[in-house]
Amino acid sequence: HVQLVESGGGLVQPGGSLRLSCAASGFTFDDYAMAWFRQAPGKEREGVAAIDTAGYTTYTYAVQGRFTISKDSAKNTVYLQMNNLKTEDTATYYCAADSVNLHLARWYTYWGQGTQVTVS
């Protein structure tokens, strides 16, 4: 069965960096688009970054130039490198996967359990 397991969250000061990882299993990794979403308390879940099956990346405006999504097909893992973190980046970050290139749309089929990122 499909599993997405996030790791790498934590507490960081403003201006700091974190790298999130999402280990995927149960599907053919290269045939799936992958994305990172986040949800802060009281707010809707929003798409942060996505990488499609061709390697094309998409970012929400608020993180452009600070976050980088990448994937390692040998490890079936997608990463989110987050630099120059701001307090408004505080949220639970979720990994998502779908066989359709959905970019930042919310209708991904598979989701991880989330990892907390706190910038304070």
Side-chain angles (χ1 to χ4, degrees):
H1 66 286
V2 173
Q3 275 195 309
L4 300 173
V5 180
E6 301 100 332
S7 61
L11 174 64
V12 63
Q13 293 183 344
S17 298
L18 281 175
R19 188 178 79 157
L20 305 183
S21 300
C22 172
S25 61
F27 59 94
T28 304
F29 186 72
D30 285 344
D31 290 344
Y32 275 65
M34 304 294 295
W36 288 96
F37 287 73
R38 66 185 180 187
Q39 188 167 20
K43 294 188 176 181
E44 292 188 353
R45 189 173 297 189
E46 65 167 343
V48 175
I51 184 165
D52 70 12
T53 53
Y56 179 80
T57 57
T58 309
Y59 299 91
T60 192
Y61 179 78
V63 308
Q64 287 180 4
R66 300 189 297 123
F67 290 12
T68 302
I69 187 170
S70 62
K71 64 180 182 179
D72 184 337
S73 296
K75 296 182 178 179
N76 283 5
T77 300
V78 63
Y79 303 98
L80 185 67
Q81 178 67 44
M82 305 185 294
N83 298 329
N84 190 22
L85 282 160
K86 305 177 180 181
T87 55
E88 52 263 43
D89 295 318
T90 295
T92 301
Y93 283 71
Y94 298 90
C95 176
D98 201 282
S99 60
V100 177
N101 287 323
L102 294 174
H103 304 294
L104 297 182
R106 302 180 187 177
W107 307 298
Y108 281 75
T109 301
Y110 302 109
W111 295 83
Q113 81 289 351
T115 186
Q116 178 66 36
V117 172
T118 303
V119 185
S120 178

